[in-house]
Amino acid sequence: MKKVAVIMLAIFVVAAFSTAFAQDKTAKGQIELGGRVSFYMTSEKYDGEKVGSGSEFTLYPSVGYFIIPKLELEPTLLINSWSWKPEGGETSSRRNFGGLLNVAYHFERATPSDLIPFVFLGVGMVSHSGKNNGETVEDLKTTMILPDAGVGIKYFLTEKGVLRAELFYQRLDKAEGVDKLTDTNIGLRAGISIFLK
């Protein structure tokens, strides 16, 4: 994970300070329709013995609108599925639904290029439902995401088709719907977008 983060940051820095950028891909009024995903699987051992395994999948469908050149307002849905199964025990799971509201600034210059780096900052909320050891969990709190921040790159495969990747940091208050539980996440999201205008 550290190597991937370093590579992503290196690409961002090179692209941000390069003189080759597209001039009109982030013009005012542009609309970006797309989505990203993140996924991981984990397995834990204690003193050499497996104690459990789990997985998490998150889908981020979004619509972005450039309110001024280079500055994009991007409301995003967050649909998440998480599960954990201890060895010899029953699976605990969560189904989470929420949203993010991010603002992204794109580093676009005068000379055309297919690679555009950006930075983003936003906030969000997530509601939860789920089970612990087969029993439905009651009174799950709403998680607040403050901030959702990071850096990313957009690569134009065609005039309107884009591959994008983001290195993100999140701080979650009432994480997993548990009061007084705080969580911090650093991860990668990747996906595709289409520029409609």
Side-chain angles (χ1 to χ4, degrees):
M1 178 65 183
K2 286 185 179 179
K3 287 182 181 178
V4 174
V6 169
I7 291 169
M8 182 97 171
L9 284 172
I11 292 171
F12 173 81
V13 169
V14 169
F17 292 100
S18 170
T19 58
F21 287 86
Q23 188 171 15
D24 61 353
K25 292 177 180 172
T26 62
K28 179 180 178 180
Q30 284 276 27
I31 297 172
E32 181 182 6
L33 178 66
R36 282 98 62 213
V37 296
S38 64
F39 175 77
Y40 80 84
M41 295 179 68
T42 185
S43 179
E44 290 187 2
K45 291 184 177 181
Y46 179 78
D47 197 24
E49 296 292 325
K50 186 175 179 181
V51 295
S53 60
S55 64
E56 183 170 0
F57 175 81
T58 308
L59 179 65
Y60 301 89
S62 63
V63 177
Y65 180 77
F66 285 84
I67 53 178
I68 60 173
K70 302 181 185 178
L71 190 65
E72 181 181 22
L73 185 63
E74 189 172 36
T76 303
L77 291 177
L78 188 157
I79 304 164
N80 172 274
S81 176
W82 167 91
S83 67
W84 172 259
K85 187 178 188 308
E87 284 297 300
E90 293 193 49
T91 300
S92 295
S93 63
R94 294 286 187 277
R95 301 293 178 262
N96 309 313
F97 181 79
L100 300 167
L101 181 59
N102 284 344
V103 175
Y105 180 81
H106 297 72
F107 294 89
E108 183 180 23
R109 298 185 191 265
T111 308
S113 171
D114 293 328
L115 185 66
I116 299 177
F118 62 97
V119 295
F120 62 92
L121 177 65
V123 297
M125 296 174 59
V126 181
S127 62
H128 308 272
S129 63
K131 295 184 177 182
N132 283 348
N133 299 319
E135 298 293 328
T136 300
V137 182
E138 304 291 344
D139 297 327
L140 289 172
K141 308 296 183 185
T142 299
T143 295
M144 296 298 299
I145 302 172
L146 182 63
D148 177 64
V151 298
I153 51 174
K154 293 180 182 176
Y155 180 73
F156 282 77
L157 296 170
T158 67
E159 185 179 347
K160 297 187 181 297
V162 177
L163 284 178
R164 62 184 284 174
E166 302 168 358
L167 177 65
F168 69 90
Y169 166 84
Q170 291 178 336
R171 183 184 182 279
L172 287 74
D173 183 44
K174 298 179 183 172
E176 301 175 25
V178 179
D179 201 15
K180 299 182 181 179
L181 179 63
T182 301
D183 202 357
T184 55
N185 297 328
I186 296 175
L188 292 171
R189 298 188 285 239
I192 57 172
S193 297
I194 296 173
F195 277 64
L196 300 180
K197 185 174 176 183

